[in-house]
Amino acid sequence: MSLPVQVGIIGGGYAGFAAAVTLARGGARVFLYESSRTLGGRARVVEKDELRLDNGQHILLGAYEETLRMLRLVGVKPGVLETRRLALVYPGLCSLKAAALPAPLHLALGLLTAKGLDWSDKRAMARLMSHLKKLRFRVEPDRSVAELLAGTGQTERLSRLIWEPLCVAALNTPAASASAQVFANVLRDSLAASASASDLLIPKVDLSELFPVPASRWLAMRGHQVRTTEAIASIRWDEDGKGYRLDGDPWQNLHDHVVIATAPYHAVPLLQSVPALVPLAGQVTALKHEPIVTAWLAFDGPVHFPEPMIGLAGGYGQWAFDRAALGGPEGLVSVVISARGAHQEISREALEIALLEELQDTLGRLPALKWSQIITEKRATFACTPGLVRPTTSTAEPGVWLAGDYVASDYPATLESAVRSGIVAARSILKRCGLKEGSFLDL
């Protein structure tokens, strides 16, 4: 009886665990290595005064089919996600809510009844969606989102309150430099798809507990290995063993395949350690990155939000979340600032004061602030610019594969693109080895 195919996965984020679960379901033996003590990669939990806080506020969409499938596979209950109809609410300025109707009526009625948008705004929104549908959501040649909005006659108010915030939230890149094609892909699979595809799914648990931790337990129960605090420095081919060894693995396991599922900047030294992949390392190095800032604000009493998620306009903050409405402690609020901007030019203290003023202007008088924590992920995602060529899952080294939210796909750097990349890498390995996902479902 032949030994099972053995795969080493470097990186314990969403891409790495999606690859690991898919490989395990196909009968491969999996060893996953994570350099940190905490699972989740750039979507992970941090500790603050015995509270577990996400390093950034992530929202899933109903269109995240593969992420939702993975959650079901590892036993995550649907109740951990707060499901809300699409609601873009700027208190006192604008409110656009999808109706509880089948597509496309859900969006059409939502647009007709939107508050704070006049008929010129509503006609402009319908015009953009009609334009993209006519083009089958192909923007050729690719250009910036700002150019797409200008070319389709979008109003200033609609661009400022709807399109530009959606762009920066989805692509983490300012509209002036974001890819119109990738933005069109997002609209195609959310607003222009089924009614449920545009639902907002807001996690009630931290990002580590949402998928990486349950996936780790799922793998352990089936005899696979997940090792934390195991930093892998390089990959080398063992000619005698006819497989790959990972420098930093104290057991020196011999792997038939290796999946690099780290952040792109951590992937570079691993790629450089494989002679055939040095040019690919150069391509990954050339990717530019955008930050995400998340301000956690804990108040001494309840804060009253009209919706669990609201937009902030005219200041530094972009979106604010009522964490108490999502299973968190009373008075806990998170404010997100995506991509580069003026907030980078002021101190943390000045930013905190500005965000408090913006929240008070929007929600009214606030309780006293007990504590705050500002978390900056300086290289949260790649800059999703027009015509960007992203690396593929397969590489010039037949047994080494890439997975991560930066790998080539229709989507920007999201949890869904990370999960999909891991699945693609795993399925490619299984296919090459003559295995099929699901054949070891009950093991």
Side-chain angles (χ1 to χ4, degrees):
M1 182 177 178
S2 60
L3 294 174
V5 174
Q6 185 157 300
V7 183
I9 299 174
I10 307 171
Y14 278 63
F17 275 106
V21 170
T22 304
L23 286 162
R25 296 182 75 239
R29 180 165 169 74
V30 174
F31 285 82
L32 186 147
Y33 304 86
E34 166 56 45
S35 61
S36 172
R37 293 183 181 276
T38 305
L39 299 174
R42 283 166 292 149
R44 67 188 182 280
V45 69
V46 297
E47 302 283 344
K48 167 66 177 178
D49 297 339
E50 299 184 357
L51 273 178
R52 292 168 64 85
L53 306 174
D54 293 327
N55 72 318
Q57 175 67 62
H58 287 256
I59 300 174
L60 286 73
L61 296 177
Y64 283 16
E65 294 179 355
E66 290 301 318
T67 302
L68 296 175
R69 184 176 68 87
M70 277 288 148
L71 295 182
R72 290 193 297 270
L73 281 175
V74 300
V76 175
K77 303 300 182 185
V80 303
L81 295 170
E82 175 77 16
T83 302
R84 296 270 176 161
R85 289 284 182 186
L86 175 68
L88 303 176
V89 177
Y90 288 81
L93 293 175
C94 169
S95 176
L96 171 61
K97 298 182 180 181
L101 292 170
L105 297 177
H106 70 304
L107 186 59
L109 183 58
L111 183 57
L112 284 172
T113 58
K115 299 176 182 178
L117 299 178
D118 63 24
W119 284 108
S120 64
D121 300 319
K122 296 174 182 181
R123 285 195 297 268
M125 185 174 190
R127 183 164 57 248
L128 174 59
M129 294 304 294
S130 177
H131 172 74
L132 290 174
K133 287 180 181 178
K134 185 177 180 180
L135 296 177
R136 297 186 178 181
F137 292 89
R138 297 301 307 166
V139 181
E140 296 176 344
D142 195 6
R143 51 189 179 274
S144 73
V145 169
E147 290 173 304
L148 174 66
L149 298 179
T152 53
Q154 301 304 291
T155 64
E156 185 277 333
R157 177 166 41 194
L158 188 65
S159 295
R160 174 170 52 87
L161 295 179
I162 304 296
W163 295 131
E164 291 174 3
L166 283 179
C167 170
V168 76
L171 277 64
N172 196 38
T173 307
S177 55
S179 165
Q181 179 59 70
V182 176
F183 188 54
N185 294 342
V186 172
L187 296 179
R188 177 195 66 202
D189 294 342
S190 56
L191 297 186
S194 67
S196 62
S198 61
D199 283 349
L200 303 177
L201 309 178
I202 308 176
K204 294 181 181 179
V205 297
D206 63 67
L207 294 172
S208 293
E209 286 290 341
L210 181 62
F211 176 56
V213 171
S216 177
R217 288 195 292 261
W218 186 94
L219 290 164
M221 289 172 62
R222 288 155 180 80
H224 304 280
Q225 299 292 317
V226 175
R227 305 184 188 280
T228 56
T229 64
E230 298 286 359
I232 303 301
S234 62
I235 303 166
R236 57 186 172 86
W237 175 256
D238 187 316
E239 187 64 41
D240 294 333
K242 301 295 183 181
Y244 296 96
R245 297 198 188 274
L246 306 179
D247 292 327
D249 173 11
W251 289 270
Q252 280 298 291
N253 293 302
L254 189 69
H255 301 293
D256 300 292
H257 293 267
V258 175
V259 179
I260 301 174
T262 68
Y265 39 87
H266 292 317
V268 169
L270 296 170
L271 293 170
Q272 290 173 334
S273 69
V274 181
L277 301 184
V278 172
L280 178 58
Q283 181 187 0
V284 175
T285 300
L287 292 173
K288 293 181 171 55
H289 296 88
E290 293 281 356
I292 294 178
V293 173
T294 304
W296 290 92
L297 305 169
F299 294 95
D300 189 17
V303 180
H304 301 290
F305 277 62
E307 295 281 341
M309 179 186 89
I310 61 170
L312 301 175
Y316 295 111
Q318 295 164 355
W319 303 99
F321 296 83
D322 178 9
R323 296 302 305 185
L326 301 168
E330 183 178 78
L332 184 61
V333 173
S334 61
V335 180
V336 176
I337 309 172
S338 297
R340 62 187 181 275
H343 62 283
Q344 296 173 292
E345 300 172 6
I346 62 176
S347 67
R348 283 179 173 242
E349 293 76 12
L351 180 59
E352 178 186 306
I353 292 170
L355 294 178
L356 288 171
E357 290 175 348
E358 290 169 26
L359 279 175
Q360 187 152 289
D361 288 344
T362 302
L363 300 174
R365 185 175 179 82
L366 299 171
L369 184 68
K370 292 195 298 184
W371 57 260
S372 66
Q373 176 97 356
I374 294 181
I375 301 172
T376 301
E377 195 76 28
K378 293 182 179 179
R379 295 179 290 184
T381 72
F382 67 90
C384 192
T385 53
L388 179 66
V389 178
R390 293 152 64 179
T392 60
T393 300
S394 60
T395 74
E397 179 70 26
V400 178
W401 308 79
L402 285 183
D405 58 13
Y406 67 99
V407 172
S409 76
D410 282 352
Y411 300 108
T414 60
L415 295 181
E416 177 72 358
S417 57
V419 166
R420 289 191 181 208
S421 72
I423 293 170
V424 169
R427 286 177 176 170
S428 299
I429 293 170
L430 293 175
K431 182 178 180 181
R432 184 167 295 183
C433 298
L435 300 172
K436 186 177 180 181
E437 181 186 3
S439 56
F440 281 71
L441 181 60
D442 299 322
L443 294 184

